[in-house]
Amino acid sequence: MVINLLKKPYEILDFIEKGIGYFALILLAVIPFLESIVRLAASIFSKANIMLPAGIPSSAGIIVHLLLVLGLVSAMITTKSGDHLSIGLINYIKNEKLLNLFSVVSGLLSAFITTMLIFCSAVFIKIGLSPARMIGFIPDQVFALTMPAAYLVMAVRFARLTPLKCKLRILPYIAILLGIVCSLPVVFK
């Protein structure tokens, strides 16, 4: 029944990203709560010489990685709605043409930079996280894959939301292409 509500591909992406965000947020609340209960139970049972684990294994690592996932998913969601961080000066501009110009420049720069971050984060995963460590039962590279995926979604959204018309609509995609070209030295290194 949920699938019937999702008619377009971007609605499916919206459903997935919100689901991942809510799941990460719930786990960020539940894991420390369970951790405190397990520690309390361990201290009570240790007085009766019954040994229990002193906490949830890898809970600190899971929380750190969930924060990464939640931050990137939140960035994807705010990019979609246009509420991402941007130049604060834009809020004080009343001239419509100047505001549009700043929005275009901001969109082009954002698409360019997030495209470069796609490749830099992919290289980081390959180099910085090899060999993979286990966070609980999940390799840390699985958590880290959210970085290039989130930056890819954000780059495309920045390109789509840049307020250009007609033939100028190609400029954000040229910014993405330029970001790919500028990232090639990092990829080939």
Side-chain angles (χ1 to χ4, degrees), residues 110-187:
S110 298
F112 171 74
I113 290 170
T114 52
T115 301
M116 288 182 31
L117 288 172
I118 295 167
F119 294 99
C120 292
S121 62
V123 170
F124 167 72
I125 292 170
K126 173 134 178 34
I127 295 171
L129 299 177
S130 279
R133 293 178 311 147
M134 297 301 280
I135 307 297
F137 60 90
I138 302 170
D140 62 352
Q141 290 175 335
V142 172
F143 287 107
L145 283 174
T146 57
M147 288 189 293
Y151 290 132
L152 173 65
V153 170
M154 285 189 278
V156 170
R157 284 183 177 161
F158 280 127
R160 288 183 64 226
L161 293 175
T162 302
L164 291 170
K165 295 179 177 89
C166 301
K167 293 180 181 179
L168 294 177
R169 280 299 304 149
I170 196 156
L171 286 178
Y173 299 102
I174 291 173
I176 288 176
L177 186 61
L178 185 61
I180 292 170
V181 170
C182 290
S183 300
L184 289 178
V186 172
V187 172

